[in-house]
Amino acid sequence: TRACSEFGVETQQAKRRSFTKLMENLITIKSTTARTTKNYITCKTNFLEYLSTQGHEDIDVYKITNDMVVDFIKWMAVKPIKQKYNSDKVHKFGMKPSTINKNMRIFKMAMGLAVKSEWINKNPCGDIAMAKKNESPLVFLTSKEVEKLLEYTQNYALFYPNRENRSQELYDVFTTFIY
């Protein structure tokens, strides 16, 4: 293989451009901090883990399709997550939408690098939308709850006699935000 490439002839093995190699290139080019490097490695590990569920160890970048990327997102949404400190126990299923989005931003960046490096013609992530975040609805206090909180802040000094000034501060801050 080496002799063939030295003379300008590429063999099939020399042409192989794996996802792992792409991520190594991305880490080399784009990593500026240890945290960034960790995030890139996590994305790479997640995709390789997904590939293993599909019967692959690694994959040539040109074989990554839009459908495969969609399946990867779905897989992340249901993947069993292990506890950090007790790796034997699974505590929940699926990554949070923000985690999926972080992985997809990195994945999309890697595929963009593959396009710029002419490994592939089109980014398979191009038209895939980010995961929707579960937004909590706004909750409003009732008049009765507001009155209780105001009463609590006014009586704060009774419970904590060494903090008399704090009682007025709490009351002032609370009333400022309420009204």
Side-chain angles (χ1 to χ4, degrees), residues 73 76 97-109 125-133:
I73 293 169
M76 287 189 287
S98 58
T99 305
I100 294 171
N101 287 341
K102 180 171 43 173
N103 276 279
M104 287 313 301
R105 277 192 299 278
I106 294 167
F107 194 86
K108 195 179 271 194
M109 188 185 317
C125 306
D127 60 347
I128 295 176
M130 293 294 185
K132 293 188 179 188
K133 295 180 181 175

Side-chain angles (χ1 to χ4, degrees), residues 32-44:
T32 54
T33 66
R35 184 179 188 136
T36 302
T37 302
K38 179 183 175 279
N39 289 338
Y40 290 176
I41 291 169
T42 300
C43 178
K44 177 180 112 177

Side-chain angles (χ1 to χ4, degrees), residues 2 9-10 23 26 33 36 47 73 78-80 87 96 123 140 144-146 152 161 171:
R2 177 188 268 171
V9 179
E10 289 189 2
M23 290 304 291
L26 182 68
T33 66
T36 302
F47 189 68
I73 293 169
V78 297
K79 171 190 173 188
S87 60
K96 293 179 183 178
N123 189 332
F140 298 96
K144 202 171 203 171
E145 291 170 325
V146 169
Y152 172 77
Y171 181 80

Side-chain angles (χ1 to χ4, degrees), residues 124-158:
C125 306
D127 60 347
I128 295 176
M130 293 294 185
K132 293 188 179 188
K133 295 180 181 175
N134 299 334
E135 293 188 25
S136 302
L138 293 177
V139 178
F140 298 96
L141 298 175
T142 65
S143 301
K144 202 171 203 171
E145 291 170 325
V146 169
E147 287 174 21
K148 279 186 174 183
L149 283 169
L150 285 171
E151 184 181 322
Y152 172 77
T153 57
Q154 288 173 334
N155 295 325
Y156 187 82
L158 297 175

